Amino acid sequence: MSSSSLPVKTKIVFFDVKDWELPYIKKLRAGYDIQTVSAGLSSENVEKYKDAEIISVFISSDLSKEIVRLLPKLKYIATRSTGYDHVDIKYCASKKITVSNVPTYGDNTVAEHAMALILALTRRLPESIDRVLKGDFFPDGLTGIDLKGKIIGVIGTGHIGKNVIQMAKGFGMKILAFDLYPDEKYASENGFMYSPLEYVLSRADIVTLHVPYNSGTRHMINRENIGKMKRGVIIVNTARGGLIETDALFDAVKTGHVGGVGLDVLEGEKFLSEEVELLYNDKCSGVDFKIALENHALARFPNVIITPHNAFNSAEALQRIIKTTIENIDAYKSGKMINLV
Ligand code: NAI
């Protein structure tokens, strides 16, 4: 057979790839010209991949209109994440580019991380660990609070929020919930009530966020409603940083109105790096320096815990993510698409 009669292989590029993912990627059906890249897709490298017909990315890749339009052959994006706010879905739809995600890899995983943040704050783990590391084994001044009997306000009762509810029930907490689309059947089976957002925020001892980030949820937690929360409230965010108005949160922690904060995600987190790097980085157009500084400053309060967008990062969840992504791509190729967004 001459080379000109060989079937043309579909060019697929995997971005943000870690070494351990390679054996899974090799399990893809035949018929692909596969390229793997450890970096994310960005304005700096997009030019190199303009032949790509399929791409698979993680949230650290930038799939804004400005970048997607530089991939003229692109037909399908398989994001290896649940959230897809890093993809300009509207623009992709206008260009007939199909997008899939991994809808349910980390329901328990992210919920467990939210509970870890809650427990670390209520039992003052960072201060306790710090004290012991300094050779001081006395618990004076490290009094925490019980979870039993406290009210947890769960904002967003989808896959992750429902797992948080189960775990909170295990701790004997009282549940209040808010969701744009309440699951009343689930609520009555699990003995809790849905209420309007403002009511949940004003009654909760602990507020935990599990909604997607979009124009409707941006700054859902803001200066006005933080002011109406209970003094000493604990706020936990494992969803997306932009859900909280950082400036208002920073002020509320400073005045002591908010008693504890656990953040796995930060507003503007893609611009976060060492402070000095931030100052000298010539790619920092678009950086909101005030938010970046407040993020750094927040991390230094003893009652604030920040983790580096790590809630998804359990061994089991990572395997589920890549396995489902490979299934998504195979399904796309066979014409029976699954997990579309
Ligand atoms: P889901 O889609 O199962 O649940 C989201 C819930 O939010 C739904 O019940 C929906 O009705 C509700 N909702 C949507 N818009 C709303 C609004 N404006 N107001 C009130 N409720 C609204 O999503 P899932 O799997 O529970 O994930 C939630 C979020 O967690 C994701 O969108 C993602 O951004 C984030 N996430 C973070 C991870 C991390 O590593 N930190 C990992 C995985 C997800």
Side-chain angles (χ1 to χ4, degrees):
M1 194 159 53
S2 75
S3 63
S4 61
S5 61
L6 282 173
V8 182
K9 290 186 168 182
T10 305
K11 170 95 179 177
I12 176 165
V13 186
F14 283 80
F15 293 91
D16 312 286
V17 174
K18 303 277 185 296
D19 285 349
W20 68 267
E21 291 176 296
L22 295 171
Y24 289 91
I25 293 171
K26 284 190 189 136
K27 284 187 188 153
L28 264 179
R29 285 194 198 174
Y32 294 108
D33 170 9
I34 302 174
Q35 190 172 358
T36 55
V37 186
S38 58
L41 177 65
S42 67
S43 55
E44 275 108 67
N45 63 8
V46 61
E47 171 66 21
K48 285 195 238 166
Y49 307 106
K50 58 176 189 280
D51 288 341
E53 291 162 68
I54 299 178
I55 61 173
S56 176
V57 296
F58 189 57
I59 51 164
S60 31
S61 280
D62 179 357
L63 277 85
S64 58
K65 176 180 173 181
E66 290 67 34
I67 291 186
V68 175
R69 60 186 275 276
L70 300 175
L71 299 168
K73 296 190 175 169
L74 189 63
K75 294 193 180 66
Y76 173 51
I77 298 167
T79 184
R80 303 199 297 288
S81 57
T82 300
Y84 43 85
D85 46 287
H86 53 301
V87 185
D88 188 332
I89 296 290
K90 258 194 194 158
Y91 181 72
C92 289
S94 77
K95 291 286 161 192
K96 300 203 165 34
I97 297 167
T98 306
V99 183
S100 70
N101 72 341
V102 183
T104 58
Y105 72 87
D107 309 355
N108 68 295
T109 310
V110 178
E112 286 174 24
H113 196 85
M115 292 310 294
L117 291 172
I118 291 169
L119 284 167
L121 288 163
T122 53
R123 304 317 301 258
R124 304 181 64 172
L125 290 191
E127 293 159 271
S128 304
I129 294 164
D130 195 42
R131 187 174 292 192
V132 169
L133 285 175
K134 286 181 182 138
D136 180 348
F137 286 81
F138 291 99
D140 305 16
L142 288 177
T143 307
I145 55 165
D146 282 353
L147 290 186
K148 189 171 178 180
K150 296 289 181 310
I151 299 175
I152 185 166
V154 181
I155 313 301
T157 57
H159 294 99
I160 296 169
K162 283 191 172 106
N163 270 267
V164 168
I165 288 170
Q166 293 308 323
M167 292 174 197
K169 280 175 66 180
F171 280 101
M173 301 184 81
K174 294 177 189 149
I175 317 288
L176 275 180
F178 169 70
D179 197 294
L180 209 51
Y181 306 100
D183 185 343
E184 296 293 357
K185 185 168 173 278
Y186 184 83
S188 71
E189 283 166 3
N190 286 279
F192 72 90
M193 297 235 309
Y194 283 98
S195 304
L197 179 65
E198 301 305 318
Y199 181 79
V200 175
L201 296 183
S202 68
R203 295 294 309 276
D205 300 298
I206 296 169
V207 172
T208 181
L209 305 180
H210 305 287
V211 295
Y213 177 67
N214 53 44
S215 55
T217 57
R218 180 175 183 272
H219 289 182
M220 179 178 214
I221 303 300
N222 50 50
R223 191 169 297 280
E224 200 192 325
N225 59 26
I226 288 176
K228 292 179 186 158
M229 291 183 192
K230 279 186 183 171
R231 190 170 174 82
V233 64
I234 289 175
I235 300 176
V236 170
N237 187 7
T238 55
R240 285 293 181 267
L243 297 176
I244 300 183
E245 184 184 356
T246 306
D247 199 31
L249 183 68
F250 180 74
D251 287 347
V253 173
K254 223 167 52 174
T255 61
H257 183 72
V258 167
V261 177
L263 305 173
D264 186 50
V265 286
L266 294 167
E267 195 171 16
E269 68 186 23
K270 70 175 173 179
F271 296 116
L272 270 179
S273 47
E274 296 281 330
E275 287 110 318
V276 176
E277 222 180 279
L278 207 58
L279 282 174
Y280 293 103
N281 188 345
D282 45 325
K283 291 169 222 141
C284 48
S285 67
V287 178
D288 186 326
F289 282 99
K290 186 162 190 235
I291 291 179
L293 278 175
E294 282 167 347
N295 282 331
H296 278 280
L298 268 172
R300 296 193 179 115
F301 284 101
N303 54 346
V304 175
I305 301 176
I306 299 181
T307 50
H309 203 141
N310 200 39
F312 71 97
N313 196 4
S314 76
E316 294 83 354
L318 292 180
Q319 291 194 5
R320 287 194 289 266
I321 293 172
I322 189 74
K323 209 169 149 278
T324 305
T325 302
I326 299 303
E327 285 164 10
N328 286 350
I329 297 170
D330 280 342
Y332 171 80
K333 191 75 174 162
S334 69
K336 290 182 191 143
M337 292 180 253
I338 52 171
N339 298 327
L340 301 185
V341 297

